[in-house]
mmCIF file of all heavy atoms in Angstrom:
data_model
loop_
_atom_site.group_PDB
_atom_site.id
_atom_site.type_symbol
_atom_site.label_atom_id
_atom_site.label_comp_id
_atom_site.label_asym_id
_atom_site.label_seq_id
_atom_site.Cartn_x
_atom_site.Cartn_y
_atom_site.Cartn_z
ATOM 1 N N ALA A 1047 -20.511 -26.078 3.917
ATOM 2 C CA ALA A 1047 -19.373 -26.171 3.005
ATOM 3 C C ALA A 1047 -18.493 -24.924 3.088
ATOM 4 O O ALA A 1047 -17.257 -25.002 3.067
ATOM 5 C CB ALA A 1047 -19.866 -26.385 1.580
ATOM 6 N N LEU A 1048 -19.113 -23.755 3.197
ATOM 7 C CA LEU A 1048 -18.348 -22.511 3.261
ATOM 8 C C LEU A 1048 -17.557 -22.399 4.564
ATOM 9 O O LEU A 1048 -16.424 -21.894 4.570
ATOM 10 C CB LEU A 1048 -19.286 -21.315 3.097
ATOM 11 C CG LEU A 1048 -19.838 -21.114 1.688
ATOM 12 C CD1 LEU A 1048 -20.906 -20.018 1.677
ATOM 13 C CD2 LEU A 1048 -18.726 -20.770 0.696
ATOM 14 N N GLN A 1049 -18.126 -22.845 5.667
ATOM 15 C CA GLN A 1049 -17.379 -22.798 6.922
ATOM 16 C C GLN A 1049 -16.152 -23.702 6.860
ATOM 17 O O GLN A 1049 -15.068 -23.338 7.332
ATOM 18 C CB GLN A 1049 -18.283 -23.209 8.092
ATOM 19 C CG GLN A 1049 -19.325 -22.165 8.469
ATOM 20 C CD GLN A 1049 -18.700 -20.869 8.995
ATOM 21 O OE1 GLN A 1049 -17.553 -20.827 9.428
ATOM 22 N NE2 GLN A 1049 -19.474 -19.801 8.939
ATOM 23 N N ARG A 1050 -16.311 -24.878 6.262
ATOM 24 C CA ARG A 1050 -15.157 -25.772 6.083
ATOM 25 C C ARG A 1050 -14.115 -25.109 5.192
ATOM 26 O O ARG A 1050 -12.912 -25.177 5.449
ATOM 27 C CB ARG A 1050 -15.594 -27.086 5.457
ATOM 28 C CG ARG A 1050 -16.257 -28.073 6.393
ATOM 29 C CD ARG A 1050 -16.425 -29.414 5.706
ATOM 30 N NE ARG A 1050 -15.133 -29.992 5.355
ATOM 31 C CZ ARG A 1050 -14.976 -31.025 4.514
ATOM 32 N NH1 ARG A 1050 -16.030 -31.565 3.923
ATOM 33 N NH2 ARG A 1050 -13.769 -31.495 4.242
ATOM 34 N N ARG A 1051 -14.594 -24.461 4.126
ATOM 35 C CA ARG A 1051 -13.664 -23.811 3.197
ATOM 36 C C ARG A 1051 -12.917 -22.664 3.886
ATOM 37 O O ARG A 1051 -11.718 -22.471 3.652
ATOM 38 C CB ARG A 1051 -14.431 -23.300 1.978
ATOM 39 C CG ARG A 1051 -13.526 -22.734 0.892
ATOM 40 C CD ARG A 1051 -14.309 -22.427 -0.368
ATOM 41 N NE ARG A 1051 -13.416 -22.195 -1.477
ATOM 42 C CZ ARG A 1051 -13.099 -20.987 -1.958
ATOM 43 N NH1 ARG A 1051 -13.622 -19.907 -1.401
ATOM 44 N NH2 ARG A 1051 -12.285 -20.866 -2.980
ATOM 45 N N LEU A 1052 -13.610 -21.910 4.716
ATOM 46 C CA LEU A 1052 -12.963 -20.792 5.411
ATOM 47 C C LEU A 1052 -11.824 -21.296 6.292
ATOM 48 O O LEU A 1052 -10.733 -20.713 6.315
ATOM 49 C CB LEU A 1052 -13.999 -20.036 6.252
ATOM 50 C CG LEU A 1052 -13.501 -18.757 6.937
ATOM 51 C CD1 LEU A 1052 -13.035 -17.737 5.912
ATOM 52 C CD2 LEU A 1052 -14.603 -18.172 7.818
ATOM 53 N N GLU A 1053 -12.061 -22.370 7.014
ATOM 54 C CA GLU A 1053 -11.017 -22.942 7.868
ATOM 55 C C GLU A 1053 -9.808 -23.393 7.041
ATOM 56 O O GLU A 1053 -8.654 -23.176 7.432
ATOM 57 C CB GLU A 1053 -11.581 -24.125 8.654
ATOM 58 C CG GLU A 1053 -12.638 -23.727 9.682
ATOM 59 C CD GLU A 1053 -13.357 -24.925 10.263
ATOM 60 O OE1 GLU A 1053 -12.937 -26.069 9.968
ATOM 61 O OE2 GLU A 1053 -14.336 -24.731 11.005
ATOM 62 N N LEU A 1054 -10.078 -24.021 5.885
ATOM 63 C CA LEU A 1054 -8.979 -24.496 5.041
ATOM 64 C C LEU A 1054 -8.177 -23.337 4.459
ATOM 65 O O LEU A 1054 -6.947 -23.383 4.418
ATOM 66 C CB LEU A 1054 -9.528 -25.368 3.909
ATOM 67 C CG LEU A 1054 -9.873 -26.810 4.277
ATOM 68 C CD1 LEU A 1054 -10.542 -27.510 3.097
ATOM 69 C CD2 LEU A 1054 -8.616 -27.575 4.683
ATOM 70 N N THR A 1055 -8.853 -22.286 3.983
ATOM 71 C CA THR A 1055 -8.129 -21.167 3.377
ATOM 72 C C THR A 1055 -7.257 -20.463 4.410
ATOM 73 O O THR A 1055 -6.156 -19.996 4.092
ATOM 74 C CB THR A 1055 -9.096 -20.163 2.737
ATOM 75 O OG1 THR A 1055 -10.069 -19.728 3.699
ATOM 76 C CG2 THR A 1055 -9.818 -20.787 1.547
ATOM 77 N N ARG A 1056 -7.720 -20.410 5.636
ATOM 78 C CA ARG A 1056 -6.893 -19.801 6.683
ATOM 79 C C ARG A 1056 -5.678 -20.674 6.989
ATOM 80 O O ARG A 1056 -4.574 -20.166 7.172
ATOM 81 C CB ARG A 1056 -7.732 -19.585 7.942
ATOM 82 C CG ARG A 1056 -8.703 -18.417 7.815
ATOM 83 C CD ARG A 1056 -9.669 -18.359 8.981
ATOM 84 N NE ARG A 1056 -10.452 -17.117 8.963
ATOM 85 C CZ ARG A 1056 -11.522 -16.904 9.709
ATOM 86 N NH1 ARG A 1056 -11.957 -17.847 10.540
ATOM 87 N NH2 ARG A 1056 -12.176 -15.764 9.636
ATOM 88 N N THR A 1057 -5.891 -21.985 7.039
ATOM 89 C CA THR A 1057 -4.777 -22.901 7.275
ATOM 90 C C THR A 1057 -3.745 -22.794 6.165
ATOM 91 O O THR A 1057 -2.532 -22.827 6.406
ATOM 92 C CB THR A 1057 -5.289 -24.346 7.378
ATOM 93 O OG1 THR A 1057 -6.197 -24.449 8.476
ATOM 94 C CG2 THR A 1057 -4.143 -25.321 7.571
ATOM 95 N N LEU A 1058 -4.230 -22.655 4.932
ATOM 96 C CA LEU A 1058 -3.349 -22.568 3.767
ATOM 97 C C LEU A 1058 -2.769 -21.170 3.577
ATOM 98 O O LEU A 1058 -1.953 -20.964 2.666
ATOM 99 C CB LEU A 1058 -4.127 -22.970 2.508
ATOM 100 C CG LEU A 1058 -4.605 -24.427 2.443
ATOM 101 C CD1 LEU A 1058 -5.636 -24.603 1.332
ATOM 102 C CD2 LEU A 1058 -3.419 -25.354 2.214
ATOM 103 N N GLU A 1059 -3.217 -20.199 4.401
ATOM 104 C CA GLU A 1059 -2.814 -18.796 4.264
ATOM 105 C C GLU A 1059 -3.122 -18.280 2.862
ATOM 106 O O GLU A 1059 -2.338 -17.543 2.254
ATOM 107 C CB GLU A 1059 -1.332 -18.619 4.600
ATOM 108 C CG GLU A 1059 -1.000 -18.993 6.047
ATOM 109 C CD GLU A 1059 0.451 -18.735 6.413
ATOM 110 O OE1 GLU A 1059 1.244 -18.432 5.495
ATOM 111 O OE2 GLU A 1059 0.791 -18.815 7.601
ATOM 112 N N ASP A 1060 -4.282 -18.684 2.360
ATOM 113 C CA ASP A 1060 -4.759 -18.277 1.037
ATOM 114 C C ASP A 1060 -5.702 -17.086 1.229
ATOM 115 O O ASP A 1060 -6.906 -17.251 1.439
ATOM 116 C CB ASP A 1060 -5.478 -19.457 0.380
ATOM 117 C CG ASP A 1060 -6.103 -19.100 -0.955
ATOM 118 O OD1 ASP A 1060 -5.861 -17.981 -1.462
ATOM 119 O OD2 ASP A 1060 -6.860 -19.937 -1.488
ATOM 120 N N ARG A 1061 -5.146 -15.873 1.145
ATOM 121 C CA ARG A 1061 -5.963 -14.695 1.434
ATOM 122 C C ARG A 1061 -7.023 -14.450 0.370
ATOM 123 O O ARG A 1061 -8.127 -13.998 0.680
ATOM 124 C CB ARG A 1061 -5.068 -13.457 1.594
ATOM 125 C CG ARG A 1061 -4.244 -13.500 2.888
ATOM 126 C CD ARG A 1061 -3.660 -12.150 3.216
ATOM 127 N NE ARG A 1061 -2.677 -11.721 2.222
ATOM 128 C CZ ARG A 1061 -2.089 -10.531 2.193
ATOM 129 N NH1 ARG A 1061 -2.413 -9.631 3.118
ATOM 130 N NH2 ARG A 1061 -1.199 -10.225 1.285
ATOM 131 N N SER A 1062 -6.714 -14.781 -0.892
ATOM 132 C CA SER A 1062 -7.730 -14.634 -1.940
ATOM 133 C C SER A 1062 -8.883 -15.603 -1.702
ATOM 134 O O SER A 1062 -10.062 -15.238 -1.811
ATOM 135 C CB SER A 1062 -7.107 -14.887 -3.317
ATOM 136 O OG SER A 1062 -6.221 -13.860 -3.664
ATOM 137 N N GLY A 1063 -8.543 -16.849 -1.381
ATOM 138 C CA GLY A 1063 -9.582 -17.825 -1.103
ATOM 139 C C GLY A 1063 -10.399 -17.459 0.121
ATOM 140 O O GLY A 1063 -11.628 -17.636 0.147
ATOM 141 N N GLU A 1064 -9.726 -16.923 1.136
ATOM 142 C CA GLU A 1064 -10.440 -16.490 2.336
ATOM 143 C C GLU A 1064 -11.386 -15.342 2.011
ATOM 144 O O GLU A 1064 -12.540 -15.312 2.482
ATOM 145 C CB GLU A 1064 -9.434 -16.059 3.408
ATOM 146 C CG GLU A 1064 -10.085 -15.690 4.732
ATOM 147 C CD GLU A 1064 -9.075 -15.254 5.786
ATOM 148 O OE1 GLU A 1064 -7.854 -15.434 5.543
ATOM 149 O OE2 GLU A 1064 -9.501 -14.724 6.823
ATOM 150 N N ALA A 1065 -10.919 -14.402 1.191
ATOM 151 C CA ALA A 1065 -11.772 -13.281 0.796
ATOM 152 C C ALA A 1065 -12.998 -13.780 0.022
ATOM 153 O O ALA A 1065 -14.129 -13.340 0.277
ATOM 154 C CB ALA A 1065 -10.979 -12.299 -0.059
ATOM 155 N N ASN A 1066 -12.784 -14.698 -0.917
ATOM 156 C CA ASN A 1066 -13.905 -15.250 -1.684
ATOM 157 C C ASN A 1066 -14.926 -15.912 -0.765
ATOM 158 O O ASN A 1066 -16.137 -15.816 -0.983
ATOM 159 C CB ASN A 1066 -13.397 -16.271 -2.693
ATOM 160 C CG ASN A 1066 -12.589 -15.655 -3.807
ATOM 161 O OD1 ASN A 1066 -12.714 -14.465 -4.087
ATOM 162 N ND2 ASN A 1066 -11.744 -16.441 -4.448
ATOM 163 N N THR A 1067 -14.428 -16.586 0.270
ATOM 164 C CA THR A 1067 -15.328 -17.287 1.175
ATOM 165 C C THR A 1067 -16.112 -16.310 2.037
ATOM 166 O O THR A 1067 -17.308 -16.497 2.283
ATOM 167 C CB THR A 1067 -14.540 -18.270 2.059
ATOM 168 O OG1 THR A 1067 -13.709 -19.090 1.224
ATOM 169 C CG2 THR A 1067 -15.485 -19.169 2.835
ATOM 170 N N HIS A 1068 -15.453 -15.250 2.511
ATOM 171 C CA HIS A 1068 -16.181 -14.218 3.254
ATOM 172 C C HIS A 1068 -17.275 -13.592 2.381
ATOM 173 O O HIS A 1068 -18.390 -13.330 2.860
ATOM 174 C CB HIS A 1068 -15.217 -13.137 3.741
ATOM 175 C CG HIS A 1068 -14.500 -13.477 5.006
ATOM 176 N ND1 HIS A 1068 -15.151 -13.649 6.211
ATOM 177 C CD2 HIS A 1068 -13.179 -13.688 5.265
ATOM 178 C CE1 HIS A 1068 -14.274 -13.935 7.159
ATOM 179 N NE2 HIS A 1068 -13.064 -13.975 6.608
ATOM 180 N N LEU A 1069 -16.944 -13.348 1.125
ATOM 181 C CA LEU A 1069 -17.942 -12.770 0.222
ATOM 182 C C LEU A 1069 -19.139 -13.703 0.076
ATOM 183 O O LEU A 1069 -20.303 -13.276 0.143
ATOM 184 C CB LEU A 1069 -17.310 -12.503 -1.143
ATOM 185 C CG LEU A 1069 -18.222 -11.896 -2.221
ATOM 186 C CD1 LEU A 1069 -18.763 -10.549 -1.768
ATOM 187 C CD2 LEU A 1069 -17.459 -11.750 -3.539
ATOM 188 N N ALA A 1070 -18.879 -14.996 -0.110
ATOM 189 C CA ALA A 1070 -19.958 -15.971 -0.255
ATOM 190 C C ALA A 1070 -20.775 -16.084 1.033
ATOM 191 O O ALA A 1070 -22.010 -16.195 0.996
ATOM 192 C CB ALA A 1070 -19.382 -17.328 -0.646
ATOM 193 N N LEU A 1071 -20.114 -16.055 2.184
ATOM 194 C CA LEU A 1071 -20.834 -16.112 3.452
ATOM 195 C C LEU A 1071 -21.684 -14.861 3.658
ATOM 196 O O LEU A 1071 -22.774 -14.928 4.254
ATOM 197 C CB LEU A 1071 -19.844 -16.268 4.617
ATOM 198 C CG LEU A 1071 -19.264 -17.675 4.789
ATOM 199 C CD1 LEU A 1071 -18.045 -17.651 5.702
ATOM 200 C CD2 LEU A 1071 -20.330 -18.632 5.336
ATOM 201 N N GLY A 1072 -21.211 -13.737 3.163
ATOM 202 C CA GLY A 1072 -22.018 -12.528 3.224
ATOM 203 C C GLY A 1072 -23.281 -12.660 2.392
ATOM 204 O O GLY A 1072 -24.379 -12.260 2.814
ATOM 205 N N GLN A 1073 -23.154 -13.231 1.200
ATOM 206 C CA GLN A 1073 -24.324 -13.428 0.356
ATOM 207 C C GLN A 1073 -25.302 -14.407 0.988
ATOM 208 O O GLN A 1073 -26.522 -14.251 0.880
ATOM 209 C CB GLN A 1073 -23.868 -13.916 -1.020
ATOM 210 C CG GLN A 1073 -23.106 -12.837 -1.794
ATOM 211 C CD GLN A 1073 -22.432 -13.374 -3.033
ATOM 212 O OE1 GLN A 1073 -21.730 -14.381 -2.983
ATOM 213 N NE2 GLN A 1073 -22.631 -12.703 -4.149
ATOM 214 N N LEU A 1074 -24.762 -15.409 1.669
ATOM 215 C CA LEU A 1074 -25.618 -16.354 2.380
ATOM 216 C C LEU A 1074 -26.349 -15.649 3.528
ATOM 217 O O LEU A 1074 -27.535 -15.908 3.774
ATOM 218 C CB LEU A 1074 -24.766 -17.499 2.917
ATOM 219 C CG LEU A 1074 -25.505 -18.718 3.466
ATOM 220 C CD1 LEU A 1074 -26.349 -19.371 2.385
ATOM 221 C CD2 LEU A 1074 -24.502 -19.716 4.023
ATOM 222 N N ALA A 1075 -25.661 -14.754 4.228
ATOM 223 C CA ALA A 1075 -26.297 -14.000 5.312
ATOM 224 C C ALA A 1075 -27.445 -13.141 4.786
ATOM 225 O O ALA A 1075 -28.482 -12.994 5.442
ATOM 226 C CB ALA A 1075 -25.255 -13.131 6.024
ATOM 227 N N ILE A 1076 -27.268 -12.583 3.591
ATOM 228 C CA ILE A 1076 -28.346 -11.796 2.980
ATOM 229 C C ILE A 1076 -29.582 -12.661 2.792
ATOM 230 O O ILE A 1076 -30.715 -12.247 3.084
ATOM 231 C CB ILE A 1076 -27.895 -11.212 1.628
ATOM 232 C CG1 ILE A 1076 -26.882 -10.094 1.831
ATOM 233 C CG2 ILE A 1076 -29.085 -10.705 0.825
ATOM 234 C CD1 ILE A 1076 -27.458 -8.818 2.381
ATOM 235 N N ARG A 1077 -29.380 -13.894 2.294
ATOM 236 C CA ARG A 1077 -30.512 -14.797 2.082
ATOM 237 C C ARG A 1077 -31.218 -15.125 3.408
ATOM 238 O O ARG A 1077 -32.386 -15.505 3.421
ATOM 239 C CB ARG A 1077 -30.038 -16.089 1.413
ATOM 240 C CG ARG A 1077 -29.564 -15.924 -0.012
ATOM 241 C CD ARG A 1077 -30.728 -15.800 -0.985
ATOM 242 N NE ARG A 1077 -31.532 -17.017 -1.013
ATOM 243 C CZ ARG A 1077 -31.255 -18.100 -1.734
ATOM 244 N NH1 ARG A 1077 -30.154 -18.125 -2.480
ATOM 245 N NH2 ARG A 1077 -32.053 -19.143 -1.712
ATOM 246 N N ARG A 1078 -30.471 -15.008 4.506
ATOM 247 C CA ARG A 1078 -31.050 -15.276 5.832
ATOM 248 C C ARG A 1078 -31.506 -13.994 6.524
ATOM 249 O O ARG A 1078 -31.819 -14.002 7.713
ATOM 250 C CB ARG A 1078 -30.009 -15.995 6.695
ATOM 251 C CG ARG A 1078 -29.703 -17.419 6.211
ATOM 252 C CD ARG A 1078 -28.490 -17.986 6.909
ATOM 253 N NE ARG A 1078 -28.357 -19.421 6.671
ATOM 254 C CZ ARG A 1078 -27.242 -20.117 6.891
ATOM 255 N NH1 ARG A 1078 -26.160 -19.495 7.347
ATOM 256 N NH2 ARG A 1078 -27.191 -21.413 6.650
ATOM 257 N N TYR A 1079 -31.486 -12.884 5.794
ATOM 258 C CA TYR A 1079 -31.950 -11.581 6.291
ATOM 259 C C TYR A 1079 -31.103 -11.063 7.447
ATOM 260 O O TYR A 1079 -31.586 -10.331 8.308
ATOM 261 C CB TYR A 1079 -33.434 -11.655 6.705
ATOM 262 C CG TYR A 1079 -34.326 -12.189 5.602
ATOM 263 C CD1 TYR A 1079 -34.797 -13.487 5.649
ATOM 264 C CD2 TYR A 1079 -34.656 -11.392 4.510
ATOM 265 C CE1 TYR A 1079 -35.589 -14.002 4.629
ATOM 266 C CE2 TYR A 1079 -35.443 -11.882 3.484
ATOM 267 C CZ TYR A 1079 -35.903 -13.188 3.548
ATOM 268 O OH TYR A 1079 -36.678 -13.682 2.528
ATOM 269 N N ASP A 1080 -29.829 -11.436 7.462
ATOM 270 C CA ASP A 1080 -28.895 -10.971 8.489
ATOM 271 C C ASP A 1080 -28.007 -9.897 7.862
ATOM 272 O O ASP A 1080 -26.877 -10.163 7.435
ATOM 273 C CB ASP A 1080 -28.062 -12.149 9.003
ATOM 274 C CG ASP A 1080 -27.043 -11.740 10.063
ATOM 275 O OD1 ASP A 1080 -27.090 -10.579 10.517
ATOM 276 O OD2 ASP A 1080 -26.194 -12.588 10.418
ATOM 277 N N LEU A 1081 -28.515 -8.670 7.827
ATOM 278 C CA LEU A 1081 -27.786 -7.596 7.144
ATOM 279 C C LEU A 1081 -26.501 -7.227 7.863
ATOM 280 O O LEU A 1081 -25.474 -6.956 7.222
ATOM 281 C CB LEU A 1081 -28.685 -6.373 7.007
ATOM 282 C CG LEU A 1081 -29.952 -6.539 6.166
ATOM 283 C CD1 LEU A 1081 -30.655 -5.208 6.014
ATOM 284 C CD2 LEU A 1081 -29.643 -7.137 4.818
ATOM 285 N N ASP A 1082 -26.545 -7.188 9.187
ATOM 286 C CA ASP A 1082 -25.335 -6.836 9.938
ATOM 287 C C ASP A 1082 -24.251 -7.895 9.716
ATOM 288 O O ASP A 1082 -23.073 -7.568 9.516
ATOM 289 C CB ASP A 1082 -25.653 -6.714 11.423
ATOM 290 C CG ASP A 1082 -26.518 -5.496 11.742
ATOM 291 O OD1 ASP A 1082 -26.542 -4.568 10.907
ATOM 292 O OD2 ASP A 1082 -27.160 -5.477 12.800
ATOM 293 N N GLY A 1083 -24.650 -9.162 9.761
ATOM 294 C CA GLY A 1083 -23.684 -10.233 9.521
ATOM 295 C C GLY A 1083 -23.118 -10.168 8.119
ATOM 296 O O GLY A 1083 -21.917 -10.408 7.909
ATOM 297 N N ALA A 1084 -23.969 -9.841 7.144
ATOM 298 C CA ALA A 1084 -23.507 -9.736 5.756
ATOM 299 C C ALA A 1084 -22.497 -8.608 5.612
ATOM 300 O O ALA A 1084 -21.443 -8.776 4.993
ATOM 301 C CB ALA A 1084 -24.699 -9.506 4.834
ATOM 302 N N LEU A 1085 -22.816 -7.459 6.190
ATOM 303 C CA LEU A 1085 -21.916 -6.311 6.060
ATOM 304 C C LEU A 1085 -20.571 -6.600 6.709
ATOM 305 O O LEU A 1085 -19.508 -6.227 6.175
ATOM 306 C CB LEU A 1085 -22.560 -5.075 6.703
ATOM 307 C CG LEU A 1085 -21.914 -3.731 6.360
ATOM 308 C CD1 LEU A 1085 -21.890 -3.497 4.856
ATOM 309 C CD2 LEU A 1085 -22.650 -2.599 7.066
#
């Protein structure tokens, strides 16, 4: 769902929405123990 959302926010040029999605994807990376990806 987040990957789909990231594509849409970029298409819409919604920088706030894109930022929110990056933040959420970072939190998801933490749950997967991918610290470099999260950072």
Side-chain angles (χ1 to χ4, degrees):
L1048 288 172
Q1049 287 296 340
R1050 282 190 63 194
R1051 186 172 193 258
L1052 186 61
E1053 293 170 7
L1054 280 174
T1055 55
R1056 285 171 171 168
T1057 299
L1058 295 166
E1059 298 184 351
D1060 176 8
R1061 289 195 295 174
S1062 291
E1064 184 180 349
N1066 291 338
T1067 309
H1068 278 296
L1069 180 60
L1071 284 165
Q1073 292 169 310
L1074 191 61
I1076 288 288
R1077 292 282 296 277
R1078 292 169 168 164
Y1079 306 103
D1080 179 9
L1081 297 186
D1082 290 340
L1085 194 57

